[in-house]
Amino acid sequence: MTNAPIILTLDCDMYSNDPSTLERVLCYLSDKFRKPNCGYFQFPQRFHGLNRADIYASELKRLLILAPYGMDGLLGPSYVGTGCFFHRRVFFGGPSAYIEPEIPALSPDNIVDKPINSEKILNLALHVSGCNYENKTNWGSKMGFRYGSLVEDYYTGFRLQCEGWHSIFCNPSRPAFLGDVPINLNDILNQTKRWSVGLLEVGFSKFSPLTFGVRAMGILMGLSYAHYAFWPVWSFPVATYAFLPSLALLNAIPIFPKVKSTPTPLWIASTWSQSHVNNISLDE
């Protein structure tokens, strides 16, 4: 829908919190010598209105801050769906494998010489935004945002990096963007269910990070993405860890091994230690 060379993606509930964000982004994206294949610039998803207890663990520090720091030392962090600046070029194939769109006017190098409210531009916008535009085209599979998973952000970032694009992670002290968090248990459960299903869809697909990802990006980046993809599996050991001790205590089953040796009384141990010291002194 745009011919801009740089595209910002934001969730509908997020807003800009730092006016210098764009300047910071352009310093990196315009530096072709630092990362010549840099495709996108990712800020962590930060939230306002979090209470101090954060009883639903909505801050997601491990997912949105800690893991991207580690991936930034390799090819770069995953795309998290918001707070991200893209080079328009990344949506048209890999760095060395440009794919020409079906409509030449959508090319990233196309220069628009007509006003945005002209009839031709409006007709093209209606055509592109139609529900059937992507049918039997490369959009969604080899171009643009990738379809096929409920977590299209994770899947898109994963496929872009498999094609050879790199990314940059930036976590300034002043959050670049702020958004809302789920405020009740029902919302957090629905969100977690959607993420879990979408991640497992990628993990057990032909583009699994353990197979396709390791071959395309290397073992470290493949395992980094696999950590995300199979994150829902951790629910089973975590649930066991949470309920098993409680059930054992309710049924009077000891959860710790019994002590077999009789402990030495404190006064005997103290007397023996003092006599041992005295013997040493006499021998000397």
Side-chain angles (χ1 to χ4, degrees), residues 70-284:
M71 298 173 72
D72 195 43
L74 301 170
L75 300 183
S78 173
Y79 171 46
V80 299
T82 184
C84 187
F85 290 82
F86 284 92
H87 270 305
R88 181 177 171 81
R89 170 64 180 82
V90 306
F91 297 118
F92 296 86
S96 58
Y98 175 73
I99 302 176
E100 186 68 33
E102 287 77 4
I103 301 176
L106 300 179
S107 171
D109 299 323
N110 180 63
I111 299 177
V112 180
D113 56 358
K114 295 180 177 60
I116 194 173
N117 58 353
S118 65
E119 184 178 357
K120 183 177 180 180
I121 297 297
L122 292 177
N123 289 336
L124 179 59
L126 290 174
H127 175 63
V128 171
S129 60
C131 297
N132 297 323
Y133 169 71
E134 299 95 336
N135 288 347
K136 299 180 181 180
T137 67
N138 288 320
W139 292 100
S141 59
K142 297 180 180 179
M143 300 171 62
F145 289 92
R146 310 306 163 87
Y147 306 154
S149 171
L150 289 177
V151 285
E152 75 292 337
D153 49 1
Y154 166 85
Y155 186 47
T156 297
F158 170 63
R159 292 288 302 276
L160 290 178
Q161 293 197 332
C162 287
E163 293 173 0
W165 293 107
H166 297 179
S167 59
I168 296 176
F169 181 67
C170 182
N171 183 25
S173 56
R174 178 177 180 177
F177 304 97
L178 287 174
D180 295 323
V181 294
I183 58 175
N184 57 62
L185 182 60
N186 186 55
D187 289 345
I188 194 66
L189 289 178
N190 287 332
Q191 184 185 65
T192 303
K193 177 183 177 181
R194 181 177 66 84
W195 287 351
S196 300
V197 173
L199 290 171
L200 291 177
E201 285 176 340
V202 179
F204 291 103
S205 69
K206 66 177 181 179
F207 296 107
S208 174
L210 291 178
T211 54
F212 182 83
V214 170
R215 291 196 302 268
M217 298 184 293
I219 186 169
L220 292 180
M221 282 298 294
L223 291 178
S224 297
Y225 273 96
H227 172 74
Y228 285 122
F230 297 100
W231 163 73
V233 179
W234 281 102
S235 60
F236 295 103
V238 168
T240 302
Y241 178 79
F243 289 104
L244 191 59
S246 301
L247 294 174
L249 292 174
L250 288 174
N251 290 276
I253 301 175
I255 58 178
F256 299 105
K258 294 181 179 181
V259 179
K260 296 182 179 180
S261 60
T262 304
T264 304
L266 182 60
W267 66 273
I268 295 178
S270 177
T271 303
W272 179 85
S273 299
Q274 185 63 37
S275 62
H276 186 63
V277 171
N278 293 337
N279 290 335
I280 294 176
S281 300
L282 291 174
D283 290 341
E284 292 179 351

Side-chain angles (χ1 to χ4, degrees), residues 26-40:
L26 292 177
C27 288
Y28 285 92
L29 293 185
S30 60
D31 187 1
K32 298 296 183 182
F33 297 99
R34 184 178 179 88
K35 276 193 175 183
N37 293 335
C38 179
Y40 59 90

